[in-house]
Amino acid sequence: MTDLSKFKQETSEWLEANCPASMRKPQSRNEGVFGGKKFTFPSDDAKLWFDLMVEKGWTAPQWAKEYGGAGLSSDEAKILNREMERLGCRKPLIGHGLWMLGPALLEYGTEEQKREHLPKIARGEIRWCQGYSEPGSGSDLASLRCKAEDQGDHYLLNGQKSWTSDGDKADWIFCLVRTNDEGPKQEGITFLLFDMETPGITVRPVPLITGESHFCDTFLDNVKVPKDQVVGEVGKGWSVAKALLVHERTMMADIEKNMPKPKYSVDDYAKNYLSMDKNGRLQDGLIRDRLAQHMMRDEAIKLTQKRAFEEGMAGDFDMRVATIFKYIGTEEKTNKDTLITDILGMAGAGWDKENFSADEQTKTHEWMSNKALTIAGGSSEVQLNVISKRALGLPEV
Amino acid sequence: MTDLSKFKQETSEWLEANCPASMRKPQSRNEGVFGGKKFTFPSDDAKLWFDLMVEKGWTAPQWAKEYGGAGLSSDEAKILNREMERLGCRKPLIGHGLWMLGPALLEYGTEEQKREHLPKIARGEIRWCQGYSEPGSGSDLASLRCKAEDQGDHYLLNGQKSWTSDGDKADWIFCLVRTNDEGPKQEGITFLLFDMETPGITVRPVPLITGESHFCDTFLDNVKVPKDQVVGEVGKGWSVAKALLVHERTMMADIEKNMPKPKYSVDDYAKNYLSMDKNGRLQDGLIRDRLAQHMMRDEAIKLTQKRAFEEGMAGDFDMRVATIFKYIGTEEKTNKDTLITDILGMAGAGWDKENFSADEQTKTHEWMSNKALTIAGGSSEVQLNVISKRALGLPEV
Amino acid sequence: MPLALNEEQRMLRDTARDFLQNDAPVNLMRQLRDDANEKGYSEELWHKMIEMGWPAVAIPEQFGGLGFGFIGAGAILQEAGKTLANSPFFNTVALGAAAIIHGGNEDQQQSLLPKIAAGELTLALAHEESNHHQSHGIQCQAFIDGKQLTINGNKKFIAEGANADLLIVSLRTAPPSSNNDGITLALIDPSTEGIKINKVNMIDSRNYAHIDFSNVTVSTENIIGERHNSQTLLDKTLDHGRICLAAEMLGGAQAMLDKTVEYLKDREQFGRKIGAFQALQHRAANMFAELEIAKSAVIHALSAIDDNQDLAVVASSAKTLANDCYRLITDEAVQMHGGIGLTDEMDIGFYLKRCRVSIQSLGDSGFHKNRFATLNEF
Amino acid sequence: MPLALNEEQRMLRDTARDFLQNDAPVNLMRQLRDDANEKGYSEELWHKMIEMGWPAVAIPEQFGGLGFGFIGAGAILQEAGKTLANSPFFNTVALGAAAIIHGGNEDQQQSLLPKIAAGELTLALAHEESNHHQSHGIQCQAFIDGKQLTINGNKKFIAEGANADLLIVSLRTAPPSSNNDGITLALIDPSTEGIKINKVNMIDSRNYAHIDFSNVTVSTENIIGERHNSQTLLDKTLDHGRICLAAEMLGGAQAMLDKTVEYLKDREQFGRKIGAFQALQHRAANMFAELEIAKSAVIHALSAIDDNQDLAVVASSAKTLANDCYRLITDEAVQMHGGIGLTDEMDIGFYLKRCRVSIQSLGDSGFHKNRFATLNEF
């Protein structure tokens, strides 16, 4: 038996023996374990599972043991991952620290920074948030203006960050600030880490149209940040941030994968909520057409992802195709949400919890919250710019 | 009895007595009387009607008698027009000379030019064409490059004009040329008239996708044009051309008004060409939806024109609304043509004259030729630019 | 049929605009929501509207109305839609008064219309029974026994259902036959025994209710219109509502377009105003064009009411175009504002939610295009 | 089911691309049209295709084929669509061979498939009877009397109908019953007595015909598939055609997108390349995205043929997406080229016309979305 087969067997056995049954089901967002000082575990099982995995270093399997990981090889990590998927084990810990800052520190951080921050991330002691966007800098992130003045041993920060995801629940923040006003705007940006309890920070949750508030405005008023909390070089924060973007996408995909599968397909909704004529056709011809159209397109988009993968394996992939996924995928998702709520009719526009089923509430909520999909992470307009430049080679506007 | 009532009565009686019955029906494009040296009348009645009207000066009723008109007052001209409309009398003469160059000469021409050209236009002796567009200058007309070199008493023309409407049938051309390469591009443009038989001119009809060819490429190779054939000032041709544009729109509307009404409405086609289910609904749900949508929009566009008129009369008109008509009207027309041919199915994609009815051929032809509607006379893109600037006040790109 | 407002109607519109912009901005709506206001509208605002005579605008003059017609009512609703101003106006006038004007007997008209005109009576139409609008598929039953009507059944998503002084209820009183369509409308006091009103909160924060009728008995004198044969009256009433709702929707669409264009002129990204990006310009220009043609369909339909024309085709056109253009414009407003459009601080979400409920109310575009096609025999 | 071409299929595709770009540019098509060529294709080109073994690509190896499957045939058709290269390939292979492979008895397969593979036999499917595609509403009747089939009726818009060596005709031979669907397919020599072939010129300048059958008698040996019960075979044959036509259409769409993007990079107006105008950029980018997802639906469907999967859903998806994206791209190609796109000198009109006929052939999007919905039971 090779070492890897042995590892596989042991891992499988350990997971079987230790992963609680309730931790083997898909998890919704509010069942996730994000860690941090202010965190309350959603269940005892979640806490148990988290503790066991932290102990083994399997919250961050590939990180070195001195950084709080298990020091697994890439092959071993793959096996662990596959075994967890096979058994349906939940991620014991999720969040910006583990998936975004961690990899960035491994690549750009100093040894001191790694030793300081990585173990606390892996053990879920510190929860991180991200300070990128500003009120004037959305799609055009590089225009950010949050100012970091050089004060010798520290920077003095003034400005505002917006869309700080769970900023009110996080302990530390990784943040892009402007350390230089001259030259190309990308080159005056620096990547900083700091404690959210540093004096001068005010965090204000921003209510959304869904009634929830996952994001905060973060106001920085003469906030002092020691210089050794710069990650990478001063003025090179844009490169660190760009590298992080890749990890953000992986994170999103991972979260997506672990979400509970929807109970009903779109055509289930149509069959459940709308009437059929004598020939078994939906009476509403417009919905019938939109539904057929959506199902065809949705499948074609999924097939395109598969095709890209297969063509990639076959060495016959047209790289330009990769530029369309964010655009066409999120537009179709938005179309789907609209279609479902249209099918639900008034039941897709309810607010209270008494008169609408949990599922109806979820669909209504998704219709609203998923409007962010075509905006965040590169709006559809930015994606179309990218396609027209990179895939079609059209000139700059 | 006032003079005007008397005029009305006499006019009505004269028209009744003199307008041949066959000249009281709507006319299609190839029944129009364009005049000119190469023109053959489509029928004896057309010739008779033309001759009678020329004699009365009623081909150009408001032009002075010395210019070949009848010298009618604006009120009299209105009465004549209304009486002709009431009886359904065809325009005895149509074309670029009467509707476009004539008004321009009246406004910008010298007395010599008026005396020289207007009578020949009014009497249908000379047919005119328009030389504006060039291969490199379509939407951006002001960038035209057809060069007119000052040679003392004449200009020497070199260049190419495209989309010369019926250039092969016209006797003279009114033409925009570049007399100055420097300064703002609009200011180096001059408006010239010349005989199409001047040495150095080659006219080549351009076949269209419909199989017809209404337009020509006109090549100018060292064409000499005497300087007294400039209309308006040298370098001010752009203003003359802009003034003409208004007349072009009137002309288009006039032609439209005189066209035969379509035999069938869109829903007639659907009822004739498609099958119904037992409930009397079109079996093709998609066509049914598109048809309802089109009919609603088509009516709403017509109502918007009426509304603009009524609001104008009431002094409550939002001028910005005027910017939408070309855009939304031509887009909906194109949509209609597509819908009709889709309804015809294979019968909307035929080419021969034996297997397809005349009406099917017309609809197929219209689908192709009307694609020009959203391009010519200010493309939809140009219209959207105009709406966004003038109606919405959005900044320059 | 006029497509432009006359001078009096223009004055009414301009007054309404000034008043609503000042006294009923979107923040009033936000406040009502945050306070979980029971009624979903401001009593104070409604009283000011009454003082201005609004409930009377569309009531014929012989019943104490001002005779501005529904073009007048539509003008007010369009302005109200711009600030999302809510009040009993729409349900009382566009649905309630319409039913009484067209179906009420002389006694009913004499007793009710002046009260409506004076702002002393509010009405709601209890008609829907499922998640989707329908015209005639009524299950809510009533038996007529002598002079008494006994009602059993459930009505759903009744706008102003928990507020109105009186309900107009659509009932199935007989099976459809060659002589009768089997539908009867009745005026019912919501405090009658056997009525259970269940408040429903929709995303637009207005007042809705499900109402259950359990052996509710009222006098046959409460019947409006022809007994067992009021489908035509019901259709006409619904068409009044559809047309007037379309007017309100266009106001909302106009406000959203204006706000979005303002934002395009103000917001900078990549070193320029985002309104200088041609792709956004073209989309905004298209929104403008769509809104203008929808306005024409709506004023035409309002005019058809005042001219006593057939309403079915024009109502379905007006509602379809209003649905589609309000949806287009609110969706684009969100997209063009970007993330900030999804925060509750901005007003956009309020319009987005109101738009969605309005689309579902009194028929979405699928419903109306189907109806239009049927009316045109295809 | 693979979604990528394997190495052999890629070689086939690359060879086809080079060959067609060189030997069958759009100008060949223009020449054939201008010469009013009887067949609508170049015999010389077809012979070269035969030499290259193309008719054999999708024929199983045991019948002299090359066994590249329909993914192979689809790859060739996609390349042919790019230059609008016409030949008997599509009708012979995608419709004719498909029917024989799935419905032919051993004798028929042994005698016909090797001939098809060798390029010695061309086929056409005589199925449509009206202006619109339909699957089963067949009126063209045949009576079976002993060993003889007597056919009466009319078939319309038969692609290659005036060229093909043999016709496969869909016939109503019995009323539908619980055991039989009443449909029979038969191979018929077009020179048989009683057959009148009427050439029809469509806008795409290919070869079409209406064919009338008047007491045409053939032996029952000519029946392909089950007697009185070949609806499934007919559907399967049509689905092969739909999928392969979709592949050809995507080639055309690709060519139009490429030409348009090239024009956007080249043409200047208002002092800049028109491809620098963002509104056009976004529309072009959207066209690119639409084309890519349509390609996936088509290769998936081709792959389903080769894997002997159920074709109905995937064929309807593929044809719908191909219809919609080819139409979008040709319409936009005209609009973005401006007036010049409407001149016959440019190639665009050829694609526009071919697109339109292709959309109508074997089902437009309304037909296929309806079918898709029915198959999914909604």
Side-chain angles (χ1 to χ4, degrees), chain A residues 166-207:
Chain A
D166 290 323
D168 52 340
K169 304 190 184 81
D171 307 302
W172 276 63
I173 186 169
F174 53 94
C175 197
L176 292 178
V177 295
R178 180 154 305 283
T179 41
N180 191 346
D181 268 333
E182 282 145 40
K185 55 189 180 177
Q186 278 85 352
E187 291 176 18
I189 294 173
T190 297
F191 193 100
L192 277 185
L193 313 177
F194 53 93
D195 191 327
M196 290 294 272
E197 299 204 337
T198 318
I201 302 178
T202 315
V203 175
R204 192 178 60 102
V206 176

Side-chain angles (χ1 to χ4, degrees), chain A residues 135-136 138-140 163 207-209 274 338 341-346 349 351-352 355 367 371 374-375 381, chain C residues 131-132 157 198-203 267 269-270 283 327 331 335 339-340 342-345 353 356 360:
Chain A
S139 287
D140 181 17
W163 303 111
L208 298 179
I209 62 170
L274 298 172
T338 304
T341 48
D342 284 349
I343 289 170
L344 296 185
M346 289 296 255
W351 191 259
D352 69 47
N355 293 292
W367 164 70
K371 289 206 170 287
T374 55
I375 295 169
E381 289 74 20
Chain C
N131 296 321
H132 296 90
F157 298 110
N198 181 14
K199 243 195 114 198
V200 179
N201 295 314
M202 305 292 292
I203 48 175
R267 167 83 169 172
Q269 288 286 274
F270 304 106
R283 282 155 57 184
R327 190 200 292 254
D331 280 351
Q335 184 66 27
I340 202 165
L342 294 172
T343 62
D344 194 65
E345 282 173 287
K353 293 169 185 172
R356 162 127 225 105
Q360 289 301 328

Side-chain angles (χ1 to χ4, degrees), chain A residues 119-164:
Chain A
K120 291 180 188 164
I121 292 171
R123 292 197 303 266
E125 291 165 9
I126 294 293
R127 180 170 181 177
W128 287 82
C129 64
Q130 169 181 294
Y132 282 11
S133 296
E134 295 180 13
S137 307
S139 287
D140 181 17
L141 183 60
S143 70
L144 61 90
R145 290 180 306 182
C146 192
K147 198 172 163 187
E149 276 174 284
D150 189 335
Q151 304 277 316
D153 64 336
H154 69 274
Y155 287 105
L156 195 64
L157 269 53
N158 279 290
Q160 184 188 340
K161 288 290 169 185
S162 49
W163 303 111
T164 321

Side-chain angles (χ1 to χ4, degrees), chain C residues 89-100:
Chain C
F89 182 81
F90 172 78
N91 290 285
T92 300
V93 174
L95 293 166
I100 295 163

Side-chain angles (χ1 to χ4, degrees), chain B residues 49-63 67-70 80 84 91-94 98-99 118-119 121-124:
Chain B
W49 177 228
F50 168 79
D51 285 340
L52 286 166
M53 289 291 274
V54 166
E55 204 180 301
K56 285 193 80 79
W58 282 1
T59 49
Q62 281 190 262
W63 295 5
Y67 301 152
L80 170 60
M84 286 179 66
K91 304 273 173 197
L93 177 66
I94 58 179
L98 202 55
W99 281 332
L118 292 177
I121 291 173
R123 292 198 303 265

Side-chain angles (χ1 to χ4, degrees), chain B residues 135-136 138-140 163 207-209 274 338 341-347 349 351-352 355 367 371 374-375 381, chain D residues 131-132 157 198-203 267 269-270 283 327 331 335 338-340 342-344 349 353 356 360:
Chain B
S139 287
D140 180 17
W163 303 110
L208 298 180
I209 61 170
L274 297 172
T338 304
T341 48
D342 283 350
I343 288 170
L344 297 184
M346 289 298 254
W351 191 260
D352 69 47
N355 293 293
W367 164 71
K371 288 206 171 288
T374 54
I375 295 169
E381 288 74 21
Chain D
N131 295 321
H132 297 89
F157 299 110
N198 181 14
K199 241 195 118 201
V200 180
N201 294 315
M202 304 293 291
I203 49 176
R267 168 83 169 171
Q269 289 284 273
F270 305 106
R283 282 154 57 183
R327 191 200 290 254
D331 280 351
Q335 184 67 25
I340 203 166
L342 294 171
T343 62
D344 194 65
K353 293 168 183 171
R356 160 127 226 106
Q360 289 301 329

Side-chain angles (χ1 to χ4, degrees), chain A residues 269-313:
Chain A
Y269 284 105
K271 290 171 194 171
N272 293 342
Y273 278 84
L274 298 172
S275 33
M276 299 280 185
D277 68 13
K278 284 169 204 156
N279 302 314
R281 293 180 178 195
L282 287 171
Q283 231 156 16
D284 187 328
L286 179 53
I287 291 280
R288 186 167 185 259
D289 186 70
R290 286 170 64 194
L291 180 55
Q293 177 104 352
H294 162 68
M295 287 172 70
M296 288 175 172
R297 291 177 62 83
D298 194 46
E299 177 69 13
I301 292 168
K302 286 181 192 140
L303 287 169
T304 306
Q305 281 159 334
K306 276 196 210 165
R307 174 167 71 90
F309 176 77
E310 289 185 27
E311 287 179 346
M313 298 299 286

